[in-house]
Amino acid sequence: MARDYELIIFDWDGTLMDSAGELIGTLQQAIQDTGLPERTPAQMRELVGLGIQDVLARLFPELDPVRVRDRISRYRRRCGWPRAAPRLFEGARDALVELSEQGFELAVATGKNRRGLDRAMRATDSKGLFRITRCADESVPKPAPNMIDDILLRTATEPEATLMVGDTEYDMVMARAAGVDALAVRCGVHDEIRLRRAGAIDVVDDVRALPAWLAAG
């Protein structure tokens, strides 16, 4: 018998889209070109999933956050933000279609900004699969519960009828703060032990496993 969820909220980067490498490389290039102190790929990978303001604040706690943000913003306006063609993880779109056909409402809560998410959805032909999407520049970003709270309000869904799916501890903490269950995927940036400690009720390999996991409930 399927689990009694009505709404499934997905993180984007690392959960639906294989983008961690591009995000890290882009940020590393921006840091080098703006003269900010160097940070390792491991330090950056740790923060994938957060909004850019939180990423910068955690990478450079010793620096004035306003000056860091201004420097990165000027770089982005001057040079753009290098982008590879967005692509979903293999089989992710098929799983989303299957879930939608089964009657689940689907949503997104992401650390991306609105422009970045809209671009990724257009490129992957996935926008029509989601009833609602919320981005870090439209709300208080992860790990605060605000994006989920807003989605619940706009879809008139109770927390106990909602499942959050993500690849980072920030997704798990956000879900827990909003009172919803959180399922983790291994295909992203944080390991299984960390995800379970952060509140994941279970961990699966990737989104392709979700229909079977729900049916086995």
Side-chain angles (χ1 to χ4, degrees):
M1 181 178 178
R3 296 173 189 249
D4 293 328
Y5 297 119
E6 300 169 6
L7 171 68
I8 305 174
I9 304 173
F10 293 90
D11 167 60
W12 190 267
D13 292 310
T15 300
L16 293 176
M17 194 167 84
D18 187 7
S19 49
E22 180 197 354
L23 291 170
I24 293 166
T26 296
L27 184 55
Q28 193 169 35
Q29 187 65 53
I31 288 170
Q32 292 173 352
D33 289 352
T34 55
L36 288 167
E38 289 190 11
R39 295 295 186 260
T40 67
Q43 287 174 298
M44 298 178 198
R45 186 177 182 84
E46 170 78 11
L47 302 175
V48 171
L50 294 175
I52 186 62
Q53 309 296 353
D54 283 339
V55 169
L56 295 174
R58 295 187 188 208
L59 280 177
F60 306 106
E62 76 280 14
L63 300 181
D64 181 344
V66 174
R67 290 185 178 181
V68 173
R69 290 198 299 269
D70 286 347
R71 192 176 294 189
I72 293 294
S73 294
R74 288 197 300 271
Y75 170 82
R76 293 179 73 172
R77 289 195 297 270
R78 184 177 73 252
C79 302
W81 207 244
R83 309 176 221 177
R87 65 182 185 89
L88 299 181
F89 281 112
E90 182 179 354
R93 194 180 191 286
D94 289 341
L96 293 172
V97 170
E98 182 177 351
L99 293 169
S100 181
E101 290 175 346
Q102 289 176 358
F104 293 101
E105 287 195 311
L106 309 182
V108 170
T110 178
K112 280 187 175 301
N113 62 28
R114 171 53 60 186
R115 180 181 297 179
L117 180 63
D118 285 349
R119 173 181 175 270
M121 285 187 159
R122 286 194 301 271
T124 57
D125 190 26
S126 56
K127 184 175 182 179
L129 294 172
F130 301 99
R131 177 173 174 184
I132 184 172
T133 59
R134 301 300 290 164
C135 299
D137 59 347
E138 299 169 332
S139 180
V140 181
K142 302 173 187 179
N146 298 58
M147 284 194 282
I148 290 181
D149 289 341
D150 192 29
I151 290 170
L152 296 180
L153 179 64
R154 291 168 182 262
T155 60
T157 308
E158 295 297 326
E160 57 268 24
T162 304
L163 177 69
M164 176 72 205
V165 182
D167 70 303
T168 70
E169 73 168 48
Y170 314 122
D171 299 313
M172 307 299 107
V173 173
M174 175 177 64
R176 188 173 61 199
V180 309
D181 286 346
L183 176 71
V185 292
R186 298 185 184 94
C187 57
V189 298
H190 289 169
D191 62 51
E192 181 170 347
I193 293 175
R194 183 172 180 178
L195 292 165
R196 290 189 183 274
R197 285 177 177 170
I201 63 171
D202 202 355
V203 182
V204 297
D205 287 340
D206 53 43
V207 169
R208 290 177 297 183
L210 186 52
W213 183 87
L214 289 163

